[in-house]
Amino acid sequence: MAPKRGDIWLVDFNPTIGAEIKKIRPAVVVSSDGIGALPIKLVAPVTDWKDRYARQYWHVRIDPDAQNGLIKPSAVDAFQLRGIDLQRFIRQLGRVSPTTMEEIILAIGAVVEHP
């Protein structure tokens, strides 16, 4: 099964350099399903929620539920977008809701200063 926009997958981000997000972790697929000639998807990594993220517009909170497959309150980091080869995708955990996906897209727009 190929990753689709809005899916949450467990992804291997290693190796990394410097402050790039590391290790095997969930990520939300944000790229369009209809784009790309290469076996790459644009993803936004998911990390543990921290209260300070509430003031950072590039973090979108996701609480665990049966649909998304997460096990603890989490944050999608729209500042750490990364193109990931399909070989780095381990397994699907779930999907974000349409409302959450819209919040992620708005956060990405803010990061790149899209009006």
Side-chain angles (χ1 to χ4, degrees):
M1 171 193 306
K4 303 283 186 206
R5 181 182 173 107
D7 286 351
I8 300 175
W9 278 72
L10 202 56
V11 173
D12 186 354
F13 283 91
N14 293 319
T16 58
I17 297 175
E20 295 172 347
I21 203 148
K22 300 169 178 39
K23 68 185 181 179
I24 295 172
R25 67 176 58 249
V28 178
V29 178
V30 297
S31 53
S32 170
D33 294 334
I35 191 168
L38 298 174
I40 294 174
K41 294 290 184 176
L42 184 63
V43 301
V46 175
T47 190
D48 295 345
W49 177 258
K50 295 177 178 48
D51 289 338
R52 71 177 182 267
Y53 293 165
R55 296 181 305 276
Q56 299 171 341
Y57 61 84
W58 60 90
H59 284 111
V60 176
R61 183 177 174 124
I62 302 180
D63 290 313
D65 64 27
Q67 181 183 2
N68 63 36
L70 298 173
I71 59 173
K72 55 189 168 184
S74 302
V76 177
D77 188 344
F79 188 66
Q80 295 242 16
L81 295 179
R82 188 164 162 192
I84 297 290
D85 189 280
L86 293 179
Q87 294 178 66
R88 291 184 178 270
F89 287 78
I90 297 169
R91 67 180 165 86
Q92 185 177 2
L93 300 176
R95 288 188 58 77
V96 296
S97 69
T99 301
T100 299
M101 191 67 209
E102 184 63 26
E103 290 175 13
I104 294 166
I105 297 306
L106 289 171
I108 292 168
V111 166
V112 298
E113 296 185 351
H114 185 272

